[in-house]
Amino acid sequence: MCGILFAKSNRITKNEFINSLKIIKHRGPDAPLCFFQHNDFMLGHNRLSIMDLDSRANQPFFSDDQRYVMIYNGEVYNYKELASQYMIEMKTSSDTELILKLYLKIGSSMLNKLNGMFSLIILDTLTNEYFIARDRLGIKPLYYVQQNNELIISSEVAPLLKFTSANLDETAIRQYKKMRNFFNNRTIYKNILEFPPAHFSCNGKISKYWSNNYSEKAPPSDEELKYLIESAVNYRKISDVSVGSYLSGGLDSTIVTALANVNHTWTIGFANENEFKWSKIAADKFGTEHHCISINREEFLETARKLITERKELLTVPNEVLIYFMTLQAKSENSVILSGEGADELFFGYDRIFKWAAATTHWDIKGFNDFYSYGSHDDIEIIEDAINPYLEHQKPISIVASFFQEAHLRGLLRRLDNSTMMCSVEARSPFLDFRLVERLSGVSIEYKMENQVVKAPLKRIFKDLLPVEVIERKKIGFPVPLTDIFAGQKAHSVSYDSWFDFNLAVLEGNL
C-alpha cells in the first residue's frame, strides 16, 4: 500500500530525510513525500491509494485531538467489523483510521485483532513515546538502523543506506550463497536489520505478540477449510481500485482466481519455457481477459541489474525478475494483484523435503541440507544458524514445517513485496490469512498428502471448480532457464551458483 520512513535523530536534516523518502516514492506515487516533524522525530509517507481514495486518508494520519500521529503500510481487511465491534466512530472509510483509534482504545492488544498485513509506527507527540509493529508473518517489510542513540526505520533497505555504512555482512552473504535468503533478521548489510514479524516495540523494548502453534491437531472438515479459503479470498478483494490475479495455471493461483472472479489475469514466461498452456486453460474456464507476458534473456538480465542497482539488495530467486516484469505490465489494469503465495508452506507443496521430514525420527542437519540447500558448496554451520530457532519443536516434521512457514516464507514475501511495490502495485495473498495458518499448522502430512497426492485437500475440495488439467499437472512455478541465461557468463558453474555470483557482482558494481 505504501512506503514509510521514520527517524529519531537530532542530526538528520529535513532535506536529507525527504531525499531518502524519495528513494521509495514508487511505493506510494498517489500522495508522495508527505512529512511531519516533531522535536527529534520525523515521519514520512508515500501513499498508494487503495481504500478511501480521498486525501482525508493520507498519512501521516493524526488522531482527532492531534496528539497521536501514525504512518502505516499495509491493509487490514476486517477494519469495518472491528469498528462496529469496538464502537469506533469513523470519519473516513480507511483502515488507517481504525488502526489508530483501536490502538488508542485497547493498546498493543489490538494487534491480535487485525486480519491483514501491516508495518506501522505511532508517535505520541505529548510524551514522545513511539510504538512499532509488524504483521504476524512479515508480509509487509520493515527495516531499521539503530546506532548512536538514533533509530531510523524504512519499508526498504535503500533509504537507510543514506544514514549508515554499506558494509556487507559476511554471515548474510554465506546465508545467501547457501540458502538464497537471509535469516534471523539479517540483511546483506551489517548495520541494517529486519524488524521481526509478529513483534511490536514500545520505546525500544521489543515484544512478541503472536506465536504459531505447531502441535498436532485434527484436520478441518472440507466445509471448514472451504469456508476459510473463500473468506480469505473475499477479504482480499476489498478495494476501491481494480483487482487482478496472477494465474500461472498452477493449483494455488487457479484456486485464488476462480474464487476471486477478477477480470484480468496475468502470467509470464520465456519463449521455450513457460506455463502459457495451463494458464490459458484456466483463464478460458473463468472467462478472464488473460495476459501472457513474454520475456527474453536480454530483458531478464537488464531487469535484474535494474532491480539490484535501484534497491541496493540481492534478489532471492530468479523468478523475482519475472514477477516484476509481469507486474509492470499489470499496473496498466490493476493496482491490486492476488497471488497464491503461502499455499506450499501450508499444504506441504514442497513434497520431497516434507516426506523426508515425516519419515525421519531424529533430526538430521545433513539430510535437511541435502533437500533444502541451493549452493553447491558445503556450509553446515550456516544452515545450523538458520534452523536453530525452530529446533524447539523437536519432531523433524514440525521443525521443517515451522521453518518453511516462517523463515522460508519470509524470503518469498520479500520477493513478492519488492517486485510488486516497485511497480506501485499491492500484492495480496489469501493463503496467508492467519486463520488459515493457525488452523492448518500441526495438521498431519497424511491429511495434506492423502494417498501420496500433493495438496490433496485443495484438489478434492475444488475439483468441481477447477479444470481437470490444472488438478492433474505437476507443480512448476514461473520457470527460469538459468542454463540459457548464464551461457557464456564468467561463473564457476551454470547453476544457482551463477545466479548468486551475478547478484553479488551487480551489487558491488562489478558487472
Side-chain angles (χ1 to χ4, degrees):
M1 164 180 164
C2 303
I4 62 177
L5 185 65
F6 170 91
K8 177 183 178 292
S9 170
N10 57 17
R11 71 172 177 94
I12 298 174
T13 67
K14 177 180 178 181
N15 188 56
E16 290 172 332
F17 185 89
I18 292 294
N19 284 338
S20 289
L21 187 61
K22 286 179 182 177
I23 294 173
I24 52 172
K25 187 178 177 181
H26 52 265
R27 297 186 70 92
D30 298 328
L33 307 182
C34 297
F35 173 83
F36 172 73
Q37 184 168 10
H38 171 74
N39 297 333
D40 291 340
F41 295 94
M42 285 182 277
L43 292 82
H45 194 267
N46 296 317
R47 185 184 181 202
L48 178 64
S49 301
I50 300 296
M51 294 196 284
D52 192 342
L53 309 184
D54 194 277
S55 61
R56 65 188 179 181
N58 286 352
Q59 301 177 42
F61 192 89
F62 292 84
S63 60
D64 291 343
D65 61 4
Q66 304 295 298
R67 173 177 170 177
Y68 296 88
V69 57
M70 181 175 83
I71 50 176
Y72 153 60
N73 170 33
E75 301 290 352
V76 169
Y77 308 112
N78 63 333
Y79 74 101
K80 290 183 179 179
E81 295 98 310
L82 291 173
S84 175
Q85 179 182 350
Y86 288 92
M87 295 179 288
I88 293 174
E89 183 179 345
M90 300 280 286
K91 296 180 179 179
T92 72
S93 57
S94 167
D95 56 334
T96 303
E97 180 183 11
L98 177 279
I99 292 171
L100 180 55
K101 288 186 172 178
L102 189 59
Y103 172 76
L104 297 181
K105 195 158 193 172
I106 64 174
S108 62
S109 62
M110 65 101 175
L111 296 170
N112 284 301
K113 310 293 182 184
L114 306 181
N115 188 340
M117 52 185 182
F118 54 86
S119 292
L120 61 92
I121 303 171
I122 300 172
L123 173 66
D124 182 341
T125 61
L126 181 62
T127 66
N128 290 332
E129 295 179 334
Y130 53 93
F131 177 80
I132 307 163
R134 192 173 178 204
D135 67 67
R136 296 169 179 84
L137 296 172
I139 304 172
K140 280 300 170 183
L142 201 62
Y143 301 95
Y144 70 97
V145 170
Q146 193 160 25
Q147 56 191 17
N148 302 324
N149 296 318
E150 289 183 340
L151 177 63
I152 310 156
I153 306 173
S154 175
S155 294
E156 295 185 14
V157 164
L160 298 177
L161 291 172
K162 294 289 185 180
F163 309 114
T164 190
S165 67
N167 296 329
L168 300 185
D169 184 334
E170 291 302 319
T171 299
I173 291 175
R174 289 170 61 192
Q175 289 180 339
Y176 178 78
K177 284 186 172 181
K178 188 61 180 169
M179 304 176 77
R180 72 177 187 184
N181 200 0
F182 307 116
F183 300 90
N184 301 329
N185 303 320
R186 290 187 180 90
T187 73
I188 192 64
Y189 300 103
K190 283 184 179 179
N191 295 334
I192 301 177
L193 296 175
E194 182 183 5
F195 189 89
H199 284 72
F200 68 87
S201 172
C202 288
N203 299 319
K205 181 181 178 181
I206 297 180
S207 304
K208 192 168 189 176
Y209 69 86
W210 180 81
S211 295
N212 201 9
N213 183 0
Y214 295 95
S215 59
E216 294 181 14
K217 60 173 69 78
S221 66
D222 285 359
E223 292 75 19
E224 181 186 4
L225 183 57
K226 187 169 186 285
Y227 165 77
L228 286 172
I229 295 173
E230 289 176 342
S231 173
V233 172
N234 287 334
Y235 260 148
R236 283 151 187 82
K237 289 169 55 181
I238 297 172
S239 173
D240 291 329
V241 297
S242 60
V243 179
S245 180
Y246 295 142
L247 179 59
S248 67
L251 183 67
D252 312 329
S253 65
T254 304
I255 289 172
V256 170
T257 300
L259 296 175
N261 192 31
V262 297
N263 293 324
H264 291 271
T265 50
W266 308 83
T267 193
I268 186 170
F270 293 82
N272 298 319
E273 195 159 353
N274 60 67
E275 300 179 274
F276 295 164
K277 170 187 172 182
W278 290 281
S279 66
K280 189 177 185 306
I281 289 171
D284 287 346
K285 180 172 180 61
F286 306 135
T288 69
E289 186 172 339
H290 190 52
H291 309 265
C292 292
I293 310 299
S294 294
I295 187 171
N296 60 39
R297 176 182 182 273
E298 291 70 29
E299 289 170 330
F300 178 92
L301 290 171
E302 179 185 354
T303 302
R305 289 191 186 96
K306 166 186 166 65
L307 293 175
I308 297 165
T309 302
E310 292 187 6
R311 282 180 11 202
K312 311 296 183 189
E313 275 202 278
L314 306 177
L315 308 181
T316 50
V317 290
N319 61 31
E320 187 167 351
V321 178
L322 274 62
I323 296 173
Y324 167 80
F325 197 87
M326 172 176 54
T327 308
L328 202 60
Q329 316 302 316
K331 177 62 177 176
S332 63
E333 298 291 345
N334 303 125
S335 290
V336 174
I337 288 284
L338 303 181
S339 172
E341 237 77 31
D344 284 323
E345 289 72 27
L346 278 182
F347 291 94
F348 295 175
Y350 310 101
D351 55 309
R352 289 179 65 250
I353 191 168
F354 282 108
K355 287 177 180 176
W356 165 81
T360 303
T361 55
H362 299 287
W363 179 247
D364 176 13
I365 191 69
K366 292 184 178 180
F368 178 78
N369 170 55
D370 292 341
F371 281 95
Y372 185 80
S373 298
Y374 295 86
S376 60
H377 63 292
D378 289 329
D379 196 346
I380 291 296
E381 182 183 34
I382 213 68
I383 298 172
E384 289 176 335
D385 176 70
I387 201 73
N388 185 63
Y390 308 96
L391 296 180
E392 64 179 7
H393 299 295
Q394 297 182 341
K395 285 188 176 182
I397 186 63
S398 298
I399 293 170
V400 172
S402 59
F403 174 83
F404 269 87
Q405 187 64 67
E406 298 174 30
H408 176 87
L409 181 63
R410 280 164 71 176
L412 301 182
L413 294 177
R414 183 167 71 93
R415 171 197 70 172
L416 183 65
D417 180 87
N418 284 335
S419 299
T420 54
M421 292 302 289
M422 279 286 287
C423 305
S424 305
V425 170
E426 178 179 280
R428 298 176 175 179
S429 306
F431 286 107
L432 298 180
D433 190 300
F434 81 94
R435 299 169 300 168
L436 261 175
V437 172
E438 290 182 340
R439 183 63 186 88
L440 288 169
S441 296
V443 173
S444 71
I445 191 172
E446 288 76 19
Y447 167 78
K448 296 178 181 182
M449 290 189 201
E450 186 177 2
N451 297 322
Q452 299 298 304
V453 176
V454 178
K455 298 181 183 175
L458 294 179
K459 294 177 179 178
R460 180 177 64 250
I461 292 170
F462 295 106
K463 66 180 177 15
D464 295 331
L465 187 63
L466 308 183
V468 64
E469 295 92 338
V470 169
I471 293 176
E472 292 179 351
R473 68 170 294 207
K474 293 182 179 180
K475 176 181 174 60
I476 301 177
F478 289 143
V480 178
L482 287 181
T483 301
D484 294 338
I485 288 172
F486 288 107
Q489 293 284 318
K490 291 183 178 180
H492 58 274
S493 63
V494 182
S495 65
Y496 270 106
D497 293 341
S498 303
W499 170 248
F500 300 153
D501 292 343
F502 170 83
N503 271 261
L504 285 170
V506 173
L507 185 70
E508 294 176 334
N510 297 323
L511 188 64

